[in-house]
Amino acid sequence: MSASQKQSTISIIVIILLFCIAIAVGFKQQCYLTEDTALENTLFGDKFIPTDDVENYTSSNLYEKIDGKADLYLNNGFISLQCRRFGDSSALDKWMEVYLYEMGNSDNAFAVYSMQKRADGTALDWTQLGYSTSDAIYAAAGQYYIETVISVNDAELFKAALNGVTMLAKSISSGKEEIPGKNFFPTENLVADSFKFISADAFGSDLQNIFAAEYKIGENTITAYLCKDPTGGIYKNYHQFLIDNGGTELKTDSQLPNVKAVELFGTTDIIFKAGVYFAGVRGTAPLNDLKQTAEKLFEGLSKQK
C-alpha cells in the first residue's frame, strides 16, 4: 500500500470514529434528558419545543436564577431546581418557562406554595394546591413546587401551558394533592384559601413548622394554628416567649387541656395541648370569640388518631 493510500485509509477510519463518537454523545444526551428530568421535549405539545437544554441549580447557585427570592426556598428545604424554556415553533415571541423545584417533602412544597400564593389567582380544577393568573400557573405536587410563566397573553399559549403543568404534576405525584392538616381545622367561619405553612419565625417567635388558617367573625380576624408537639416542649417554650416579652396572663373559663390565655401588644393567644399537638388561636377579637374558635379546633384535633 502506498503512502497516500495509507493516509486515505487512516483519514476514513478517523472520520468513522468521530461519527461513532458523535452518535454516542447524542445518544447519551438523549438518555440523560429522559432519565434525569421530567421537563421532557414534548411536555407542552408538539408545537412548543425546547429552546434550550434543562438548567440545573442547587442550593449553592440558586440565587443566580432567582436572586432576591432564593432565601424563601433555601429556608424551606430546597434541594434542586430544574428550569427550561419552551417556544412556539411558529412565533418566537410566544414562549413559556417552567420552574420545577424539588423541596424534599410535601410540607416544604406547601410552605413555598402558600407563602408565594397570589390573591388574584383562579383555582385549578384538578388540585387543591394550584392556581393560575393571567401570566403564570402555580402548583404544588408532592415534594415539588411548579411555576410556569408565559411571555404574552395568548389563549393558545395559556392552554398549552395549563395542559403541560397538569401532565407534569401527575407525572411526579399523585396529581390529587390536598392541603396538609386541612381536616384538623374547623370549617365554620373559615376564610377560604387562607391555609398556610410557616416553617420558621412564626408570629415573631421561635415557632417552626406551623399550619395556620384564618377565621372571620364579624369584623375580626382570628388565626388558628397547630403543630406536632409530642413532648409539650413547644407549648411550654411559646408560652414562656409570650410572658418573657411582656405578655399578661388572662383568665378564661375554657376547659381545654393546659389552656392558657396571654395578651401581648393588643393580641391575645389562647394556647392548649391536644394529644401530640400544640395548638392555639390568636387575634384582637373578643376573648369569647377566640375561646369558641379554640374549642372547635380542639374538637377537630381530638378526632384525629
Side-chain angles (χ1 to χ4, degrees), residues 62-138:
L62 179 62
Y63 69 91
E64 294 178 3
K65 186 65 177 178
I66 57 168
D67 190 19
K69 296 198 305 177
D71 285 348
L72 171 63
Y73 297 88
L74 297 174
N75 293 334
N76 285 282
F78 171 82
I79 293 178
S80 66
L81 165 65
Q82 293 187 3
C83 181
R84 197 174 201 187
R85 181 172 292 192
F86 295 76
D88 188 327
S89 57
S90 60
L92 296 178
D93 63 324
K94 296 180 183 179
W95 52 261
M96 61 196 84
E97 190 166 25
V98 57
Y99 296 70
L100 179 63
Y101 295 89
E102 185 177 2
M103 298 303 303
N105 60 53
S106 58
D107 286 354
N108 293 339
F110 178 67
V112 172
Y113 170 81
S114 62
M115 285 188 276
Q116 292 268 62
K117 191 171 183 182
R118 290 167 51 173
D120 59 342
T122 300
L124 302 182
D125 60 6
W126 50 269
T127 178
Q128 288 186 5
L129 304 182
Y131 66 97
S132 65
T133 62
S134 60
D135 59 358
I137 299 166
Y138 306 86

Side-chain angles (χ1 to χ4, degrees), residues 28 37 68 84 116 164 242 260 283 294:
K28 184 177 181 180
T37 183
R84 197 174 201 187
Q116 292 268 62
L242 295 174
K260 293 184 181 297

Side-chain angles (χ1 to χ4, degrees), residues 235-255:
Y235 162 80
K236 292 179 181 177
N237 290 339
Y238 185 60
H239 175 252
Q240 194 62 49
F241 164 82
L242 295 174
I243 298 301
D244 289 348
N245 284 275
T248 302
E249 297 268 12
L250 303 178
K251 291 184 178 179
T252 174
D253 58 358
S254 174
Q255 300 302 308

Side-chain angles (χ1 to χ4, degrees), residues 210-272:
I210 298 292
F211 287 103
E214 293 186 353
Y215 292 80
K216 194 75 173 179
I217 300 179
E219 297 298 318
N220 297 304
T221 299
I222 294 172
T223 300
Y225 54 90
L226 61 89
C227 69
K228 279 196 171 182
D229 183 21
T231 66
I234 297 174
Y235 162 80
K236 292 179 181 177
N237 290 339
Y238 185 60
H239 175 252
Q240 194 62 49
F241 164 82
L242 295 174
I243 298 301
D244 289 348
N245 284 275
T248 302
E249 297 268 12
L250 303 178
K251 291 184 178 179
T252 174
D253 58 358
S254 174
Q255 300 302 308
L256 298 178
N258 300 307
V259 65
K260 293 184 181 297
V262 181
E263 186 274 333
L264 176 63
F265 303 136
T267 297
T268 299
D269 280 73
I270 295 181
I271 60 175
F272 58 90

